[in-house]
Amino acid sequence: MNKVVLVTGANSGIGLALCERLLGSQDAGGLHLCLACRSTRRAQAARAALLGVHPSAQITLLHIDTSSISSVLGAARELRLRFTRLDYVYLNAGIMPNPQFDFKAFFKGLFSSNIITMFSTGEGILTQKGGVTPDGLQEVFATNLFGHFLLIRELEPLLCQAGRTSQLIWTSSSNARRSAFSLEDVQHRRGREPYSSSKYASDLLSLALNTHYNKQGLYSSVICPGFVMTNLTYGILPSFPAFLWTLLMPLLWLIRVFTNTFTLTAYNGAEALFWIFLQKPERLDPRAKYHSLTSGLGHNYTQPQRMDVDLDTSEALYDELLQLEREVGRKQISS
């Protein structure tokens, strides 16, 4: 059977760029690619675009909204009916809703030694105000983290099989910071950095998943795409005139001479995602975040960096998510 690759958030940005790179690889003839997306229309457009370049590719679509418990459970049921196994699951879907941009801090940072960090991580200049889903969960937490966790749990029969390995690959961020996360508020109901909190939580969860699933042949890894100009990035400044983005781009290219984290394009940002596809999961470091990097001359490469995570906190988060899984399960039964 061909290797089955599931990619959430595959209809645009880094997710779509990853799919393009996978289909262009030498192993593409042995792949069945499943695009898991919230928008069916956009997923169909992405599939058509991919088939236009790779007409013989095996590409199927799956509707999933990771912010919705019923959608995740329904998608998992459909996957269990369609496939007998999953080889790679790219947990890429994510949102950063209602970003608030601090212009004062931004212009102050332009003339400080913190300019590179500010551009790379958004530290000090970005806050968000997340909403609440119909299930009563914080929207960013549900979309970026818990929906994916629940999907993994529901897909255990396809992921954990004797005699073979499978991989989970999380799209994290350089914006993932310990200071934004709290075990007392894992959904980040009280804070103003739900995106940063959810991405740090995915770093922690990946470590816990390796602790609990490696013996069953399931391995989890984390990547950072670098600073990429995608719809999510443009959404940070929704009222920013297009010509100002045009004027800003030369500055971003210049900054890349000094820091290779400015990958800028979705193709470059998908470098670490694609690199992990080519590795043996047993050889990857469960405590490392694999960064997509692009040199000033445009050379792409992947480099691991130690994550700021610890086993005790990762286990505590895992237990919190298991408890929440039980709670939403009871609600699904009662409804």
Side-chain angles (χ1 to χ4, degrees):
M1 180 180 177
N2 291 343
K3 290 184 177 180
V4 181
V5 181
L6 175 71
V7 183
T8 68
N11 60 269
S12 64
I14 295 168
L16 180 57
L18 167 66
C19 293
E20 293 169 346
R21 297 190 67 163
L22 289 173
L23 292 178
S25 69
Q26 294 181 347
D27 295 329
L31 289 184
H32 187 123
L33 190 58
C34 184
L35 313 185
C37 308
R38 181 169 54 181
S39 168
T40 301
R41 177 181 60 82
R42 292 179 180 178
Q44 289 171 340
R47 181 177 184 272
L50 292 170
L51 288 174
V53 181
H54 307 281
S56 62
Q58 296 184 70
I59 307 174
T60 56
L61 303 180
L62 176 75
H63 178 264
I64 185 172
D65 179 352
T66 54
S67 72
S68 166
I69 301 302
S70 61
S71 179
V72 171
L73 296 178
R77 283 195 297 269
E78 189 171 340
L79 286 167
R80 292 195 300 267
L81 290 173
R82 283 194 206 177
F83 303 109
T84 59
R85 65 187 239 201
L86 284 173
D87 296 278
Y88 303 86
V89 177
Y90 284 91
L91 306 160
N92 173 71
I95 59 170
M96 183 194 288
N98 307 311
Q100 302 297 312
F101 191 83
D102 189 331
F103 282 95
K104 183 178 179 181
F106 173 73
F107 285 110
K108 183 178 179 181
L110 285 177
F111 303 98
S112 73
S113 59
N114 197 46
I115 182 173
I116 302 299
T117 301
M118 180 184 72
F119 271 110
S120 300
T121 69
E123 184 176 351
I125 59 174
L126 281 181
T127 59
Q128 309 96 47
K129 185 177 180 181
V132 178
T133 72
D135 296 307
L137 303 174
Q138 291 300 116
E139 183 182 24
V140 179
F141 164 82
T143 305
N144 296 3
L145 183 78
F146 185 66
H148 283 131
F149 172 76
L150 192 58
L151 182 66
I152 294 165
R153 295 278 295 166
E154 291 291 312
L155 294 178
E156 279 187 21
L158 303 185
L159 291 167
C160 302
Q161 297 181 355
R164 51 175 294 270
T165 61
S166 54
Q167 290 180 259
L168 307 170
I169 304 99
W170 297 82
T171 300
S172 183
S173 170
S174 57
N175 192 253
R177 296 194 305 277
R178 181 187 286 267
S179 60
F181 176 80
S182 170
L183 277 173
E184 287 68 44
D185 184 20
V186 295
Q187 293 196 44
H188 207 76
R189 296 183 186 277
R190 298 186 293 273
R192 299 184 62 203
E193 297 181 276
Y195 180 80
S196 181
S197 174
S198 70
K199 291 302 182 179
Y200 182 76
S202 70
D203 297 351
L204 287 169
L205 179 55
S206 181
L207 181 61
L209 290 170
N210 280 309
T211 301
H212 289 271
Y213 286 102
N214 279 180
K215 290 183 179 179
Q216 299 177 59
L218 178 59
Y219 295 82
S220 181
S221 299
V222 181
I223 75 99
C224 173
F227 183 83
V228 182
M229 302 304 294
T230 63
N231 290 335
L232 188 149
T233 310
Y234 289 118
I236 293 171
L237 297 172
S239 60
F240 212 44
F243 77 92
L244 287 180
W245 278 117
T246 303
L247 293 176
L248 188 60
M249 285 306 294
L251 173 61
L252 299 180
W253 287 95
L254 177 62
I255 291 175
R256 195 164 77 180
V257 175
F258 302 98
T259 174
N260 295 356
T261 61
F262 273 51
T263 50
L264 297 184
T265 70
Y267 180 93
N268 295 346
E271 178 69 20
L273 290 170
F274 181 65
W275 181 85
I276 284 182
F277 175 77
L278 303 175
Q279 310 306 309
K280 292 186 179 298
E282 306 94 323
R283 297 180 181 178
L284 297 172
D285 184 352
R287 292 179 178 267
K289 182 179 293 185
Y290 291 86
H291 288 250
S292 296
L293 300 170
T294 305
S295 71
L297 296 177
H299 171 67
N300 293 323
Y301 61 102
T302 297
Q303 183 173 293
Q305 293 183 18
R306 194 79 166 179
M307 293 192 292
D308 181 22
V309 294
D310 64 87
L311 194 57
D312 289 343
T313 307
S314 72
E315 283 297 304
L317 172 63
Y318 187 77
D319 289 341
E320 289 279 344
L321 296 179
L322 287 177
Q323 176 60 32
L324 185 57
E325 179 190 19
R326 289 189 286 268
E327 292 175 8
V328 300
R330 287 194 292 268
K331 289 181 181 178
Q332 290 288 317
I333 294 173
S334 62
S335 62

